Amino acid sequence: MINSAQQKQIEDYLILNKLPLDILLEVRDHMISQVSDLQIRENLSFDEAFFKTKITWEPEFKMTKYFMFYTGEVSVLEKNIVKAKFNSILKRSILIATVLFIVNLFAIYISKTPEFYGILFKIQNGLVFAVPLALWIFHYNKRKFFRIDNKYRGKSFYTMYQQNNMILIACISSTAQIIMHNGTSAYNFFRTDLPVDHITVILTILIPFLAHIMLIFGSINLFEHNKALEKIQDYIKFSEAE
């Protein structure tokens, strides 16, 4: 049976490998089970079993690059977990943004005047803007965990999603600027014979689409971050009370 001091030793080892706390706790449970199993099966001491366990996990903790989401190096284990999670979020974000893009085109065709389309344009972007803002406001009690400089024991992120929360802040700002426009050039291109600059039309359609992808990604990321925090909240409180 592994005691609390030995468990902390395993945690310290995982923190040295820079795992976020949500991933760390899952890996810790696997390592504890593996160490315990080795102690029983091979009649080993904790140190011997832990040493053998670290050897089997060594390939997972080799450092690698993941340029899309990290500026520095991360372990192979973290990269694989993060890559799977973030690729899934990105696919959902693109899908939802594509639906919004189609809705926007539909709004152009049902609008009889550019003024009416401008209202629909602002409403659509306003709703996309409101969702992450509401998530940010209503989870005010967890706001200290949103900051990337707030780390567990000063070393590990609390969740794998924590570092991406700054994306949301940047996207909220850019979407707020989009709301100030009315998309007139896109309306004129599709519904009138008025001369329009094609580059302006492309930017009018493309910039909101890209902003929506990033904003939706940031919103889902923040939602998953809050969900992960709920799972580890009791552990955080217990650790801080020690």
Side-chain angles (χ1 to χ4, degrees):
M1 186 71 176
I2 290 179
N3 58 41
S4 58
Q6 292 167 339
Q7 178 176 301
K8 186 175 182 302
Q9 193 173 334
I10 293 174
E11 288 179 8
D12 289 341
Y13 169 72
L14 295 175
I15 287 174
L16 281 175
N17 284 283
K18 301 180 181 179
L19 290 182
L21 188 56
D22 55 340
I23 297 177
L24 183 151
L25 294 178
E26 289 186 28
V27 174
R28 181 202 64 181
D29 291 341
H30 287 299
M31 292 193 83
I32 288 174
S33 176
Q34 193 171 342
V35 170
S36 298
D37 183 58
L38 280 172
Q39 284 183 281
I40 295 168
R41 186 158 40 88
E42 300 185 18
N43 193 28
L44 300 174
S45 67
F46 168 78
D47 289 335
E48 292 170 328
F50 185 33
F51 178 75
K52 291 190 73 171
T53 299
K54 284 192 288 186
I55 291 174
T56 62
W57 282 83
E58 197 172 281
E60 297 288 345
F61 292 128
K62 285 183 177 178
M63 303 307 286
T64 186
K65 295 280 189 180
Y66 188 27
F67 296 107
M68 185 172 288
F69 291 103
Y70 292 91
T71 55
E73 291 187 325
V74 293
S75 66
V76 171
L77 174 66
E78 184 177 353
K79 179 183 176 179
N80 290 338
I81 293 173
V82 165
K83 189 174 183 180
K85 294 283 187 181
F86 289 173
N87 281 352
S88 174
I89 293 175
L90 187 59
K91 287 176 184 176
R92 282 184 281 167
S93 302
I94 292 172
L95 177 61
I96 296 170
T98 301
V99 171
L100 291 173
F101 177 78
I102 294 170
V103 169
N104 183 46
L105 292 179
F106 181 71
I108 291 174
Y109 281 100
I110 66 170
S111 299
K112 296 188 181 300
T113 65
E115 291 76 21
F116 183 70
Y117 169 68
I119 293 171
L120 295 181
F121 182 84
K122 289 179 184 296
I123 290 173
Q124 183 188 39
N125 285 284
L127 290 173
V128 177
F129 172 81
V131 171
L133 194 62
L135 276 172
W136 191 270
I137 292 170
F138 293 142
H139 290 90
Y140 66 91
N141 58 324
K142 296 186 185 130
R143 208 165 292 165
K144 70 176 183 177
F145 297 113
F146 296 168
R147 303 196 319 266
I148 59 174
D149 61 340
N150 183 24
K151 297 183 179 180
Y152 177 69
R153 295 194 200 170
K155 297 176 182 178
S156 296
F157 285 121
Y158 284 94
T159 80
M160 72 180 87
Y161 309 100
Q162 186 177 351
Q163 64 169 339
N164 289 331
N165 285 331
M166 292 300 102
I167 293 175
L168 188 59
I169 296 174
C171 290
I172 286 174
S173 175
S174 62
T175 306
Q177 294 179 42
I178 291 171
I179 295 172
M180 297 171 66
H181 296 81
N182 51 26
T184 302
S185 59
Y187 179 87
N188 289 336
F189 177 78
F190 287 107
R191 294 298 306 274
T192 73
D193 294 325
L194 294 173
V196 291
D197 179 42
H198 288 184
I199 294 177
T200 303
V201 174
I202 292 171
L203 291 176
T204 301
I205 295 173
L206 188 61
I207 289 176
F209 176 66
L210 296 176
H212 290 168
I213 291 174
M214 296 304 295
L215 197 59
I216 294 164
F217 181 94
S219 299
I220 297 173
N221 180 86
L222 182 58
F223 178 78
E224 293 293 340
H225 176 63
N226 289 328
K227 204 163 69 167
L229 281 175
E230 289 292 336
K231 293 179 181 178
I232 64 176
Q233 196 63 235
D234 290 341
Y235 176 83
I236 294 171
K237 290 177 182 176
F238 177 78
S239 297
E240 289 177 346
E242 287 184 330

